[in-house]
Amino acid sequence: MSQQIDQVRAVIWQEGELKLLDQRLLPLQQRYIACEDVMAVADGIRDMVVRGAPAIGVAAGYGVAIAVAACYKANPNGWRQALEADLTRLAEARPTAVNLCWAIKRMRAVITTLEGDPRQAVIDEACRIDAEDLAANHRMGELGAALIEQRCALMTHCNAGALATAGYGTALGVIRAAHAADKVSQVYADETRPWMQGSRLTAWELLQDGIPVTLLADGAAAHLMKQGEVKWLIVGADRIAANGDVANKIGTYHAAISARHHGVKVMVVAPTSTIDMSLETGEQIPLEVRSEEELLAFNGQQVAASGAKAWNPVFDVTPAGLVDAIVTERGVVLQPNMEKMAVLMAG
Ligand code: MRU
């Protein structure tokens, strides 16, 4: 059932060229940006052309392949040394989504084994990261949808869909699979301020595939949950600590607290590339704070009182105790904790 086609691709590798769908322009325009060098990839990640933890990882894999090709062309004997600055630049593009450093680490592991012309081997590895992410999403879609026992309304926050991954999506993959199994009476999506990933991206992506969606202001989530129609809050993650604490888009924590208060279950859907076993708890996850301007202005227009300051953390941490299930491609962890996460990752 979860094998239904999804239309949207955020990252495309075609005939040796990397194209990123410029998500800043959605839903009004669909335009791809061709990335000719690694700087363009790093800038595209930092500036939100490509966003969503797994998509950032996939783009970074291709970014490394582009960097290797350029460094090898410039200096076939000393390309490895020249590459280091590029890898650092890529790794620093955004701090929270661990998939970025995970993908660079994986590319680096291949690079250290190479002799001679490295170019094809790094492209092959980047393509594997891409294909594995897509396969993981289909698997998680099946596993997550199986947890939904009866036809009900689902709620999601931010965009954890095809746009945020190699395709199909994590949270939206579960919603796609549940919808295909006729288990969904309604999908509710938070607007997700200030970048509006819910209204601009999630709504657009679901409608591309014929899945109806109802938007709500972020502040309406508790009131919606109180009505009793929503049975699951389903979200993605940018980084999950060893104890199961989940960093995700700002507002996830708030929605999870409301969910627990109203008896709505919380499902976090993320590939194991999002799990960072080196951090014991979510307190150690670096949380990105972006510019004040993102709150003070909208589309270049001032929306706040002149002179007001703004605080713009773009991720928060939901404690594992508020999470009912973490769904990964390796399996489901119910009521996550340190021991259960270790068993999952050891397997
Ligand atoms: O700032 P963004 O748009 O990159 O934030 C994205 C999210 O928080 C997603 O929920 C998360 O990366 C999971 S995407 C499958």
Side-chain angles (χ1 to χ4, degrees):
M1 271 303 216
S2 75
Q3 299 309 314
Q4 63 173 320
I5 303 296
D6 60 301
Q7 308 287 331
V8 175
R9 286 295 174 271
V11 181
I12 296 179
W13 179 260
Q14 207 171 39
E15 293 165 13
E17 188 178 54
L18 177 64
K19 290 187 202 152
L20 301 177
L21 179 59
D22 190 344
Q23 299 192 30
R24 299 168 304 181
L25 304 179
L26 288 171
L28 301 180
Q29 287 179 52
Q30 289 177 57
R31 193 187 302 159
Y32 282 86
I33 293 180
C35 296
E36 282 169 9
D37 54 29
V38 67
M39 274 297 285
V41 183
D43 291 351
I45 293 171
R46 188 197 57 222
D47 297 341
M48 309 277 288
V49 172
V50 62
R51 33 64 53 200
I56 290 172
V58 172
Y62 289 121
V64 174
I66 291 168
V68 167
C71 291
Y72 182 75
K73 194 171 168 205
N75 184 355
N77 297 317
W79 62 272
R80 283 172 208 274
Q81 291 86 317
L83 186 65
E84 282 310 312
D86 289 340
L87 298 192
T88 304
R89 190 169 296 137
L90 257 185
E92 288 175 351
R94 287 190 81 188
T96 305
V98 75
N99 306 61
L100 174 58
C101 289
W102 172 88
I104 294 171
K105 193 172 164 194
R106 192 164 144 171
M107 296 298 290
R108 202 188 271 284
V110 168
I111 288 166
T112 50
T113 65
L114 297 176
E115 284 167 24
D117 185 341
R119 289 174 287 191
Q120 192 56 48
V122 286
I123 291 173
D124 291 346
E125 184 64 1
C127 291
R128 270 193 291 274
I129 290 174
D130 194 345
E132 286 171 22
D133 187 64
L134 183 59
N137 292 336
H138 280 276
R139 177 77 186 126
M140 293 188 289
E142 285 167 15
L143 293 172
L147 295 175
I148 300 169
E149 284 163 0
Q150 73 207 49
R151 189 176 151 84
C152 63
L154 307 175
M155 187 181 145
T156 190
H157 185 68
C158 194
N159 172 268
L163 285 169
T165 63
Y168 199 68
T170 58
L172 292 195
V174 170
I175 290 174
R176 281 192 167 86
H179 182 263
D182 199 23
K183 288 182 169 181
V184 184
S185 60
Q186 184 69 255
V187 179
Y188 289 99
D190 279 346
E191 283 180 310
T192 318
R193 286 178 181 270
W195 267 81
M196 316 301 278
Q197 286 94 333
S199 45
R200 293 193 307 104
L201 308 179
T202 293
W204 179 78
E205 176 180 331
L206 289 176
L207 292 171
Q208 296 299 301
D209 292 335
I211 301 176
V213 56
T214 301
L215 289 168
L216 62 147
D218 297 355
H223 185 55
L224 170 69
M225 290 178 187
K226 195 175 165 190
Q227 322 291 311
E229 184 194 359
V230 174
K231 299 293 181 214
W232 283 94
L233 168 68
I234 307 181
V235 296
D238 284 80
R239 196 183 297 223
I240 300 176
N243 69 344
D245 288 351
V246 174
N248 191 48
K249 179 52 54 192
I250 192 77
T252 304
Y253 178 34
H254 164 166
I257 291 172
S258 298
R260 177 57 55 92
H261 184 77
H262 293 102
V264 172
K265 289 190 176 169
V266 176
M267 187 191 304
V268 175
V269 190
T272 48
S273 53
T274 302
I275 298 173
D276 185 350
M277 295 300 280
S278 75
L279 302 185
E280 272 183 40
T281 76
E283 291 299 306
Q284 296 161 289
I285 298 176
L287 299 177
E288 181 179 10
V289 178
R290 291 181 73 91
S291 106
E292 288 184 75
E293 281 313 303
E294 293 182 354
L295 289 176
L296 299 177
F298 194 78
N299 268 347
Q301 292 287 313
Q302 180 181 340
V303 290
S306 298
K309 291 187 193 152
W311 178 51
N312 185 22
V314 298
F315 297 102
D316 58 26
V317 174
T318 299
L322 291 177
V323 176
D324 292 282
I326 294 180
V327 176
T328 76
E329 78 283 9
R330 290 196 200 166
V332 174
V333 178
L334 299 175
Q335 276 75 49
N337 61 26
M338 182 94 64
E339 291 70 37
K340 292 180 190 176
M341 294 303 290
V343 170
L344 174 87
M345 294 309 277

